[in-house]
């Protein structure tokens, strides 16, 4: 497997220029996200483990929100936040923020089990509803962003092949 080396000294660079190093920077996260609480001489393995625990922490729900948004996108074609690579200020707002938070908390409370999230989504009334359009609903939400019908999608080649073989 991998080998761990003693981490080298890291310096802040003036305006990003590698020929203009400034003060030494310790191992930590960005200030706006909190701190990892690592000593400057922490080993590489300790740094990686602390960072992994911080990313998967219940105090950091962003990781779970990103994961469940991607799973939702896999099933419905569009995520609850339709900019899956940007759940921040530059991205769009979630269509159903309470649902996103509920699924994220379910993921964390059930040992980060993706199977549990897939099952929750697939057993939901939203997933099992018809994709047939309704005139009154199209007038309000033509793109079905509010999930009044299952969004029609192209069938994958594997599904077509399996249907033919069946």
């Amino acid at each position: 497997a991998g080998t761990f080396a003693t981490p080298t000294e890291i310096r802040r660079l003036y305006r990003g220029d590698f020929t203009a190093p400034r003060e030494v920077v310790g191992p930590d996260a960005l200030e706006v996200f909190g701190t990892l609480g690592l000593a400057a001489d922490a080993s590489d393995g300790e740094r990686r483990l602390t960072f992994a625990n911080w990313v998967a922490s219940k105090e950091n729900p962003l990781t779970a929100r990103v994961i469940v948004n991607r799973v939702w996108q896999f099933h419905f074609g569009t995520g609850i936040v339709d900019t899956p690579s940007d759940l921040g200020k530059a991205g769009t707002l979630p269509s159903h923020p309470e649902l996103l938070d509920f699924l994220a908390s379910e993921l964390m409370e059930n040992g980060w089990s993706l199977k549990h999230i897939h099952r929750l989504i697939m057993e939901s009334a939203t997933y099992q509803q018809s994709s047939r359009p309704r005139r009154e609903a199209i007038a309000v939400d033509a793109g079905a962003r509010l999930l009044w019908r299952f969004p029609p999608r192209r069938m994958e080649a594997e599904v077509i092949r399996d249907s033919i073989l069946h």
Side-chain angles (χ1 to χ4, degrees):
T3 57
F4 294 109
T6 304
T8 58
E9 189 176 77
I10 299 172
R11 295 182 170 272
R12 184 179 65 85
L13 304 177
Y14 178 69
R15 302 185 82 177
D17 183 2
F18 70 92
T19 61
R22 299 292 172 141
E23 72 274 4
V24 174
V25 177
D28 212 342
L30 295 174
E31 257 180 45
V32 296
F33 295 123
T35 183
L36 299 178
L38 286 166
D41 61 344
S43 69
D44 191 35
E46 185 181 357
R47 290 177 182 198
R48 289 173 183 256
L49 179 62
T50 303
F51 181 70
N53 287 336
W54 177 73
V55 165
S57 166
K58 285 192 177 192
E59 285 76 43
N60 182 15
L62 182 60
T63 306
R65 294 179 91 209
V66 168
I67 291 171
V68 297
N69 190 58
R70 294 282 179 147
V71 171
W72 188 272
Q73 180 184 15
F74 171 77
H75 287 293
F76 289 95
T78 305
I80 298 170
V81 177
D82 58 3
T83 52
S85 296
D86 191 351
L87 268 65
K89 288 188 177 189
T92 60
L93 293 173
S95 61
H96 299 79
E98 297 86 7
L99 175 61
L100 184 63
D101 289 341
F102 167 75
L103 290 172
S105 64
E106 278 290 313
L107 179 66
M108 290 187 288
E109 289 170 8
N110 288 281
W112 296 83
S113 170
L114 291 176
K115 183 183 275 188
H116 175 73
I117 298 302
H118 284 287
R119 188 174 292 123
L120 267 177
I121 290 172
M122 293 175 71
E123 290 177 350
S124 71
T126 304
Y127 186 81
Q128 295 178 13
Q129 68 186 336
S130 169
S131 63
R132 180 168 296 153
R134 294 191 316 263
R135 217 168 261 183
E136 67 279 0
I138 287 177
V140 175
D141 179 28
R145 187 76 183 113
L146 299 176
L147 305 173
W148 56 270
R149 71 175 182 151
F150 192 90
R153 297 188 332 180
R154 291 183 181 264
M155 196 176 291
E156 297 173 1
E158 183 180 0
V159 175
I160 295 171
R161 177 189 169 275
D162 290 348
S163 297
I164 292 169
L165 290 175
H166 183 291

